[in-house]
Amino acid sequence: MRQKRLVWMYARSNDKHPSALFSQMEYLTREANRLGFTIVGASMDMGSGRSLSRMGLQRMLEAVRNSSVNTVLIQGFSRISLDEIITIQVLLYLHDHNAILIPIQNYRQLAPYLQSQIQTVFVDLQKQTNRKPFSSK
């Protein structure tokens, strides 16, 4: 039996016009409904993705931490951040809390790039902390 997808939708835009965020949310809502996901919540941020200190991102991470959701739906990886280290930190956090990230657009183009970046970060992480990738201790 397939696990029911309880989804948090997250949008971010550096555009000064809120319409960009609303368009992302409309798109994510359509896709979540098309895929048969249950939408539990949503948040958005206006501004750059250069840090983890964003109210909308923190609300999403809190929902994951509280096990309210098991899936985060985004338009593309760049909505988390253009900084691959921040994106990888979020991916690790989601994995540590048994949640997945589904980027609707650009997945095929970004997947090989992110895989190589993730591998590099894992090697560095292991060297610095003796922590195995995806282990919580």
Side-chain angles (χ1 to χ4, degrees), residues 53-72:
S53 300
R54 292 177 264 150
M55 188 180 307
L57 182 66
Q58 290 303 313
R59 286 187 60 214
M60 178 267 287
L61 295 174
E62 182 180 339
V64 168
R65 182 176 51 253
N66 294 335
S67 299
S68 301
V69 299
N70 57 19
T71 305
V72 175

Side-chain angles (χ1 to χ4, degrees), residues 2 18-19 30 34-35 40 42-43 56 66 71 88 90 103-104 114 123 125:
R2 285 179 45 182
S19 61
R30 276 194 313 274
R34 183 182 68 79
L35 294 166
V40 174
S43 59
N66 294 335
T71 305
I88 290 167
V90 171
I104 297 296
L114 275 177
V123 169
L125 184 64

Side-chain angles (χ1 to χ4, degrees), residues 21-86:
L21 286 172
F22 298 139
S23 294
Q24 280 184 56
M25 275 300 165
E26 288 172 3
Y27 173 73
L28 293 174
T29 301
R30 276 194 313 274
E31 289 300 306
N33 290 330
R34 183 182 68 79
L35 294 166
F37 295 161
T38 301
I39 300 170
V40 174
S43 59
M44 14 180 172
D45 289 306
M46 271 183 99
S48 83
R50 293 183 185 165
S51 84
L52 293 169
S53 300
R54 292 177 264 150
M55 188 180 307
L57 182 66
Q58 290 303 313
R59 286 187 60 214
M60 178 267 287
L61 295 174
E62 182 180 339
V64 168
R65 182 176 51 253
N66 294 335
S67 299
S68 301
V69 299
N70 57 19
T71 305
V72 175
L73 196 62
I74 58 175
Q75 185 172 353
F77 284 111
S78 65
R79 298 308 84 207
I80 298 295
S81 181
L82 292 173
D83 180 334
E84 60 269 352
I85 298 300
I86 290 174

Side-chain angles (χ1 to χ4, degrees), residues 70-120:
N70 57 19
T71 305
V72 175
L73 196 62
I74 58 175
Q75 185 172 353
F77 284 111
S78 65
R79 298 308 84 207
I80 298 295
S81 181
L82 292 173
D83 180 334
E84 60 269 352
I85 298 300
I86 290 174
T87 301
I88 290 167
Q89 287 176 315
V90 171
L91 286 169
L92 285 170
Y93 184 88
L94 296 177
H95 184 274
D96 286 347
H97 291 84
N98 300 311
I100 64 168
L101 181 71
I102 300 178
I104 297 296
Q105 293 180 339
N106 307 113
Y107 181 73
R108 287 192 177 101
Q109 293 91 344
L110 289 174
Y113 170 74
L114 275 177
Q115 287 172 355
S116 69
Q117 293 299 313
I118 289 170
Q119 186 60 37
T120 301

